[in-house]
C-alpha cells in the first residue's frame, strides 16, 4: 500500500520565524521524491510536518487524500528514518525491527516470521540476535530501514540517513536504497543537502531555499533548466555573470556584463533593461574561444587534477573565479599558469535568469 | 589468648583482602595486558602517584574501614563498665545479636517483637518511600531532561535546590507544624468543609513519610535526570513514529535506558531512608517505631554501645544485601550505577 502526499499551501512558523512558506506540491504514489537544499532551508521542517511531529501553521498536509491535521505521528501512515537512525541500543536487531509490530499487538511467532522476512529483504539474514553496537554503519542503516518498513507505512520519510556514512558506503547505499524502494514500491520522501544523492536517486526533486520551494522537477530539469538563480547556483557548479539585458529576441537574450556582451537562452523571458544573471556550466566552456558565440578574456590561475577530469580556475574580468572542467584528453590544450587566453561557449550553453541571490552569497 | 587472635584476624582481614585483590589485579595485567603498558608510578610521576595513593589510602582506611571495623569489633562484646575492658569478662560473644532476636541475652523463649517489627517495618517503609519518591520524581526528571526549554530548566533546578539550603531539622519541624492537627493543612481542609475534624497526619505517620520522601527527593531527581538527559530525543520520536503510545515509550524505551539512574537513585533513597534519624524522630507519630531511633537509644539511652553497634551493623548489612538482591533482579551491575 502506498499513497500520495499532498502539501496544500503549507506554512510553518516558529514564533515570528517562518521556516516553511506556502509550500504546495503533490508527491505521487510510489515516487522517490527528494527535498534538496542547504541546511536551514526548511526541508527538515517539511519532513517533520509530514510525519506529524509538527503541525502546519496554515495549510494542510494530506496523505492518501486524508487531511492529517490533529493526527499524531504514531497514528499516521508514515515511518521516519532519522539522520542518526535512532535505533534502540538496548534491543537486539530483531527487537528493533519488531518494535512497531509489538505495539500493534502481533503475536511472537508471527513477529519472528516477519522479522526474518525483513532481515532477508535487507540482506542481513541470521543477524537478528546481534546487538546494535555490533553492526557496521551500513548494517545499522539497513536495520533502520527494516524497522521503518516493518510497520507497513504508506510513505517512508528519510532524513539525510546517509550523511553519517563514509563516501564509498554512501555511494553504495544510494543504489541500495533505490533498489529497496523499487522492490517495496512505497512513496519515499528523502531529505538531503547532498545534490549528488538527490540527483542520482530521485524521480523528482524539490529544491528549497529559505523556506521556499524554488523548483520541482526531475534531475535533468533541475540541472539543465533551473528555474531560479538559487537553483542554478546550488545544483552543480555554475559560472554566474551579472549584467543588464540589452536585447531579448526570440529564445535568446544578450547581456552586458563586466566580461563583455554575452548571449544565452532566455526561458524566463527577461526583457531589455532587466537585471539578470547569465550562467554557464564549467563543462560548456572551452579554450580558444576566438570563434565562439561568446568569448571571455581570462588567465589560468590553477589546475586541480581530479582523475577523469581536471578543474581549471581562471581569473576573468569578474570578481569571482571562472571554473572550467577539462576532460582527460583535452588536458594538452590548457595554457600555462598566468597566461592570458580566451575562453568561449555556445549561446545554447548560456542561461539567462532574472537576477537574484546566488546560493553562495 | 583466643581473644587477641580473633581481634587480630578481624583487623587484619580487610587488609589481606585488599592485598589479595591487588596481587590478582597485577597478575591479571601481567598475563593479559599490554606488556609495554606503563605502571601507575610511571604514568603519573612519583609525586602525584604517591599523593594519590596516600590520600586515597588514608581516607579509605582511617575514615571508612577502621571506624566500621571498630563497630564490628564492638558489636561482639558484652556491655561492660570501662574498668573491665580487656579484663577476663571482655570476651567475644553473640549476645547482642541474640538480644535483637530474642529480647534477652540468654533466653530464647520469646522473640524481641518490638525491635524485629520496627526493623521489618523500617525496611518495608523505606521501600515504600523509595517507590513513592521514584514515581514522584520521574515525571519531573523527564520533563526537565527532555521537554523543558533551557530557561525553564534553570528555574526548576533552582526551585529544587534552594529548599535544601534549609537544614534538615528545620525542614522537619516546619513539616510538623504544617501537618499538625491545628496546622495549615488541617485548617484549610476544615475551613473548606472537606473534613469534619482535623486529621492526625502525624499519628498516621503521613508526616514522617512526607518528610522522608522530601528529604531525599534530590537524590532521586538528579540521577534520574542525568540518565534521561543522555537519552537521544530521536529515540523517543522514533518510538512514537513507529506507533508507540506514551506509556509504551516510557516503559520500553526511556526506563530501560535510564535503568542505571533509577537504580542509583533508588539505592540512595532506600539506604538513607532506612538510616534516617531526623525525620522519624521529629515527624514520627507516637505509634511509629523507626529502627534508627532504636539504635540511637541503644547508644544514648541504654548506654549499651556494643548492642547499638550490633543493631547498626544488622541494619547496614540487611540494607546492602537487599540492595544487591534488587540490583541483581533488575540486572544492573554496580559499575553501571556509578556512571
Amino acid at each position: 500500500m502506498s499513497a500520495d502526499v499532498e502539501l496544500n499551501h503549507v506554512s510553518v512558523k516558529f514564533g515570528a520565524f517562518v521556516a516553511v512558506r506556502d509550500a504546495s506540491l503533490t508527491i505521487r504514489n510510489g515516487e522517490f521524491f527528494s527535498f534538496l537544499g542547504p541546511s536551514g532551508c526548511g526541508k527538515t521542517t517539511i519532513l517533520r510536518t509530514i510525519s506529524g511531529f509538527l503541525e502546519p501553521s496554515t495549510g494542510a498536509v494530506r496523505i492518501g487524500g486524508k487531511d492529517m491535521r490533529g493526527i499524531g505521528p504514531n497514528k499516521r501512515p508514515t515511518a521516519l528514518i532519522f539522520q542518526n537512525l535512532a535505533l534502540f541500543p538496548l534491543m537486539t536487531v530483531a527487537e528493533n525491527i519488531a518494535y512497531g509490530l509489538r505495539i500493534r499487538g502481533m503475536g511472537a511467532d508471527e513477529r519472528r516470521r516477519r522479522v526474518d522476512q525483513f532481515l532477508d529483504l535487507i540482506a542481513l539474514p541470521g543477524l537478528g540476535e546481534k546487538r546494535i553496537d555490533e553492526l557496521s554503519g551500513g548494517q545499522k542503516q539497513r536495520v533502520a530501514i527494516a524497522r521503518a518498513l516493518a510497520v507497513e507505512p504508506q510513505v517512508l520519510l528519510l532524513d539525510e540517513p546517509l550523511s553519517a556514512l563514509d563516501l564509498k558506503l554512501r555511494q553504495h547505499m544510494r543504489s541500495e536504497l533505490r533498489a529497496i524502494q523499487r522492490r517495496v514500491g512505497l512513496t519515499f520522501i528523502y531529505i538531503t543537502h547532498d545534490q549528488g544523492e538527490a540527483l542520482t536517486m530521485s524521480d523528482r526533486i524539490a529544491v528549497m531555499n529559505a523556506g521556499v520551494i524554488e523548483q520541482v522537477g526531475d534531475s535533468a530539469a533541475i540541472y539543465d533548466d533551473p528555474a531560479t538563480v538559487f537553483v542554478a547556483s546550488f545544483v552543480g557548479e555554475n559560472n554566474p555573470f551579472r549584467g543588464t539585458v540589452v536585447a531579448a529576441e526570440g529564445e535568446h537574450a544578450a547581456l552586458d556584463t563586466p566580461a563583455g556582451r554575452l548571449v544565452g537562452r532566455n526561458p524566463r523571458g527577461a526583457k531589455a533593461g532587466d537585471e539578470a544573471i547569465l550562467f554557464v556550466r564549467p563543462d560548456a566552456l572551452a579554450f580558444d574561444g576566438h570563434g565562439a558565440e561568446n568569448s571571455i578574456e581570462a588567465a589560468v590561475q590553477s589546475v586541480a587534477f581530479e582523475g577523469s577530469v581536471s578543474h581549471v580556475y581562471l581569473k576573468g574580468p569578474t570578481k569571482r573565479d571562472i571554473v572550467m572542467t577539462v576532460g582527460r584528453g583535452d588536458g594538452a590544450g590548457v595554457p600555462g599558469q598566468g597566461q592570458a587566453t580566451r575562453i568561449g561557449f555556445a549561446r545554447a550553453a548560456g542561461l539567462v535568469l532574472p537576477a537574484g541571490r546566488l546560493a553562495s552569497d | 589468648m583466643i581473644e587477641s587472635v580473633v581481634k587480630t584476624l578481624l583487623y587484619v582481614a580487610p587488609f589481606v583482602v585488599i592485598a589479595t585483590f591487588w596481587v590478582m589485579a597485577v597478575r591479571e595485567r601481567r598475563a593479559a595486558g599490554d606488556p609495554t603498558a606503563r605502571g601507575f608510578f610511571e604514568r603519573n610521576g612519583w609525586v602525584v602517584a604517591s599523593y594519590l595513593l596516600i590520600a586515597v589510602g588514608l581516607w579509605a582506611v582511617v575514615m571508612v574501614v577502621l571506624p566500621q571495623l571498630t563497630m564490628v569489633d564492638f558489636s561482639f562484646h558484652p556491655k561492660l563498665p570501662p574498668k573491665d575492658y580487656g579484663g577476663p569478662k571482655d570476651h567475644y560473644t553473640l549476645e547482642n545479636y541474640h538480644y535483637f532476636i530474642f529480647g534477652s541475652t540468654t533466653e530464647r523463649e520469646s522473640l524481641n517483637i518490638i525491635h524485629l517489627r520496627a526493623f521489618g517495618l523500617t525496611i518495608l517503609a523505606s521501600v515504600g518511600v523509595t517507590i513513592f519518591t521514584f514515581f514522584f520524581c520521574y515525571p519531573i526528571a523527564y520533563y526537565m531532561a527532555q521537554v523543558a526549554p533551557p530557561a525553564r530548566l534553570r528555574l526548576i533546578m533552582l526551585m529544587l535546590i534552594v529548599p535544601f539550603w534549609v537544614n534538615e531539622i528545620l525542614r522537619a519541624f516546619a513539616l510538623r507544624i504544617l501537618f499538625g492537627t491545628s496546622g495549615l493543612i488541617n485548617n484549610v481542609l476544615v475551613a473548606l468543609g472537606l473534613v469534619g475534624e482535623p486529621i492526625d497526619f502525624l499519628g498516621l505517620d503521613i508526616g514522617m513519610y512526607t518528610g522522608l520522601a522530601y528529604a531525599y527527593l534530590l537524590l532521586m531527581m538528579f540521577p534520574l535526570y542525568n540518565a534521561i538527559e543522555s537519552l537521544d530525543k530521536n529515540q523517543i520520536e522514533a518510538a512514537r513514529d513507529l506507533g508507540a503510545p506514551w506509556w509504551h515509550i516510557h516503559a520500553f524505551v526511556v526506563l530501560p535506558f535510564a535503568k542505571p539512574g533509577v537504580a542509583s537513585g533508588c539505592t540512595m533513597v532506600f539506604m538513607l531512608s532506612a538510616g534516617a534519624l531526623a525525620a522519624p524522630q521529629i515527624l514520627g507519630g507516637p505509634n511509629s517505631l523507626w529502627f534508627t531511633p532504636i539504635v540511637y537509644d541503644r547508644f544514648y539511652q541504654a548506654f549499651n554501645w556494643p548492642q547499638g553497634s550490633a543493631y547498626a551493623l544488622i541494619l547496614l548489612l540487611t540494607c546492602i544485601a537487599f540492595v544487591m538482591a534488587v540490583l541483581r533482579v533488575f540486572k544492573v551491575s554496580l559499575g553501571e550505577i556509578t556512571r
Side-chain angles (χ1 to χ4, degrees):
Chain A
M1 252 284 269
S2 182
D4 287 352
V5 176
E6 190 189 340
L7 304 182
N8 195 357
H9 297 289
V10 169
S11 292
V12 185
K13 299 188 183 94
F14 300 110
F17 175 71
V18 183
V20 174
R21 191 186 299 272
D22 198 27
S24 288
L25 55 84
T26 301
I27 297 161
R28 291 178 216 123
N29 182 356
E31 191 172 33
F32 197 122
F33 192 94
S34 294
F35 285 93
L36 171 67
S39 58
C41 71
K43 57 192 191 298
T44 298
T45 304
I46 285 209
L47 194 78
R48 292 177 67 81
T49 309
I50 297 172
S51 62
F53 288 107
L54 290 172
E55 287 283 1
S57 310
T58 55
V61 175
R62 293 200 192 90
I63 299 175
K66 191 164 171 251
D67 191 345
M68 287 287 130
R69 181 163 291 275
I71 299 177
N74 51 345
K75 307 268 191 230
R76 294 199 183 187
T78 58
L80 176 56
I81 293 178
F82 290 81
Q83 185 162 13
N84 67 356
L85 307 181
L87 293 170
F88 304 126
L90 300 174
M91 300 183 195
T92 63
V93 168
E95 285 168 342
N96 262 283
I97 297 174
Y99 185 81
L101 303 175
R102 193 167 74 175
I103 291 163
R104 283 158 181 75
M106 185 183 282
D109 291 336
E110 174 69 3
R111 237 164 38 207
R112 203 165 307 131
R113 212 176 51 72
R114 294 294 300 277
V115 167
D116 287 340
Q117 279 177 10
F118 278 104
L119 286 172
D120 285 340
L121 175 82
I122 58 171
L124 295 177
L127 291 192
E129 293 316 307
K130 285 253 185 205
R131 287 206 322 272
I132 294 302
D133 57 17
E134 293 174 316
L135 302 182
S136 70
Q139 287 173 329
K140 283 183 194 159
Q141 197 80 54
R142 294 184 218 179
V143 173
I145 294 167
R147 183 179 71 174
L149 291 176
V151 299
E152 298 188 342
Q154 295 171 11
V155 179
L156 193 68
L157 307 165
L158 303 99
D159 186 5
E160 308 210 25
L162 303 187
S163 57
L165 302 180
D166 61 57
L167 183 67
K168 271 267 169 344
L169 196 52
R170 201 152 67 216
Q171 284 168 345
H172 171 72
M173 282 307 292
R174 283 182 196 172
S175 45
E176 188 100 337
L177 264 182
R178 184 71 210 191
I180 289 175
Q181 193 256 344
R182 292 228 173 85
R183 230 173 305 158
V184 296
L186 284 187
T187 311
F188 272 40
I189 301 180
Y190 193 91
I191 296 291
T192 185
H193 67 271
D194 180 328
Q195 43 177 297
E197 277 174 19
L199 293 174
T200 48
M201 290 193 285
S202 319
D203 293 316
R204 282 193 307 154
I205 300 168
V207 182
M208 285 190 75
N209 178 36
V212 175
I213 296 176
E214 299 253 336
Q215 185 175 6
V216 179
D218 63 21
S219 301
I222 297 281
Y223 189 83
D224 292 333
D225 195 15
T228 66
V229 165
F230 177 83
V231 177
S233 55
F234 185 73
V235 180
E237 288 208 75
N238 232 333
N239 293 300
F241 295 94
R242 264 177 207 282
T244 313
V245 179
V246 290
E249 283 164 28
E251 294 200 333
H252 294 95
L255 257 69
D256 262 347
T257 74
R261 179 158 298 184
L262 301 174
V263 184
R265 289 184 293 124
N266 183 19
R268 307 289 147 205
K271 293 183 294 294
D274 287 356
E275 292 297 309
I277 301 179
L278 182 141
F279 288 95
V280 56
R281 296 275 180 200
D283 48 56
L285 287 167
F287 288 112
D288 191 22
H290 286 289
E293 289 167 310
N294 293 298
S295 74
I296 300 164
E297 195 85 47
V300 175
Q301 281 207 308
S302 61
V303 180
F305 176 75
E306 290 193 6
S308 59
V309 296
S310 292
H311 288 301
V312 182
Y313 295 91
L314 303 108
K315 184 81 200 142
T318 51
K319 228 176 11 196
R320 202 181 283 265
D321 281 353
I322 301 168
V323 190
M324 248 178 99
T325 318
V326 181
R328 252 221 112 141
D330 316 326
V334 179
Q337 214 168 51
Q339 196 181 320
T341 179
R342 249 190 133 68
I343 52 177
F345 60 96
R347 290 209 290 188
L351 177 68
V352 177
L353 293 172
R357 280 173 73 88
L358 299 172
S360 54
D361 278 348
Chain B
M1 177 57 202
I2 201 113
E3 295 299 308
S4 54
V5 172
V6 173
K7 204 178 195 91
T8 317
L9 278 181
L10 189 70
Y11 280 97
V12 169
F15 296 97
V16 174
V17 171
I18 293 172
T20 315
F21 275 106
W22 185 71
V23 170
M24 280 164 63
V26 169
R27 284 178 64 109
E28 189 182 292
R29 204 182 60 202
R30 292 232 178 104
D34 176 4
T36 62
R38 294 184 304 160
F40 183 66
F41 278 90
E42 287 172 73
R43 259 182 291 136
N44 298 302
W46 67 270
V47 178
V48 175
S50 34
Y51 172 74
L52 287 175
L53 275 183
I54 292 168
V56 173
L58 273 184
W59 181 76
V61 172
V62 177
M63 308 293 282
V64 182
V65 177
L66 283 182
Q68 295 300 324
L69 280 179
T70 317
M71 293 285 276
V72 176
D73 187 33
F74 239 87
S75 74
F76 290 104
H77 281 280
K79 182 193 175 189
L80 291 170
K83 67 177 168 61
D84 285 339
Y85 285 173
K89 289 187 197 157
D90 197 358
H91 52 82
Y92 280 105
T93 172
L94 288 172
E95 65 175 49
N96 296 316
Y97 297 91
H98 195 279
Y99 186 89
F100 171 68
I101 298 171
F102 299 106
S104 148
T105 50
T106 46
E107 305 293 325
R108 296 194 168 196
E109 269 133 40
S110 60
L111 292 173
N112 187 356
I113 298 293
I114 299 179
H115 289 181
L116 288 174
R117 199 176 70 104
F119 181 72
L121 280 181
T122 299
I123 301 290
L124 271 182
S126 298
V127 171
V129 167
T130 308
I131 293 173
F132 172 80
T133 315
F134 169 74
F135 280 105
F136 185 81
C137 289
Y138 179 82
I140 302 173
Y142 180 82
Y143 177 81
M144 291 200 303
Q146 293 286 342
V147 185
R152 190 164 310 155
L153 174 62
R154 277 196 296 277
L155 183 70
I156 296 175
M157 284 274 191
L158 212 62
M159 285 167 63
L160 281 174
I161 291 167
V162 168
F164 285 83
W165 292 353
V166 178
N167 83 56
E168 194 187 351
I169 312 271
L170 214 58
R171 265 187 284 138
F173 274 110
L175 277 180
R176 195 184 166 92
I177 297 168
L178 205 63
F179 278 115
T181 38
S182 56
L184 179 70
I185 297 178
N186 269 317
N187 286 347
V188 170
L189 288 179
V190 172
L192 289 176
L194 290 173
V195 292
E197 44 190 88
I199 301 169
D200 185 9
F201 288 114
L202 296 171
L204 293 168
D205 283 341
I206 291 174
M208 180 176 85
Y209 294 131
T210 313
L212 282 172
Y214 179 29
Y216 305 117
L217 199 70
L218 291 192
L219 293 166
M220 180 68 85
M221 195 71 84
F222 285 117
L224 277 182
Y225 167 77
N226 275 338
I228 300 172
E229 205 260 334
S230 61
L231 173 63
D232 175 13
K233 229 185 215 60
N234 283 351
Q235 299 213 352
I236 298 169
E237 292 196 338
R240 206 162 134 63
D241 188 61
L242 292 168
W246 65 269
W247 61 267
H248 197 279
I249 298 176
H250 286 287
F252 294 97
V253 177
V254 184
L255 270 178
F257 182 87
K259 204 164 67 172
V262 176
S264 162
C266 287
T267 308
M268 278 201 274
V269 171
F270 172 75
M271 286 286 205
L272 289 170
S273 294
L277 187 61
Q281 250 178 1
I282 297 167
L283 291 163
N287 308 321
S288 89
L289 250 186
W290 205 254
F291 193 64
T292 40
I294 294 177
V295 177
Y296 182 84
D297 285 351
R298 293 297 97 194
F299 281 101
Y300 286 107
Q301 300 293 314
F303 289 107
N304 193 341
W305 282 48
Q307 207 174 63
S309 305
Y311 276 42
L313 203 63
I314 291 169
L315 182 63
L316 176 67
L317 291 180
T318 311
C319 286
I320 292 177
F322 183 79
V323 165
M324 298 304 257
V326 173
L327 288 186
R328 166 143 300 190
V329 168
F330 287 101
K331 300 199 178 84
V332 186
S333 72
L334 265 185
E336 276 180 283
I337 66 172
T338 56
R339 271 205 308 234

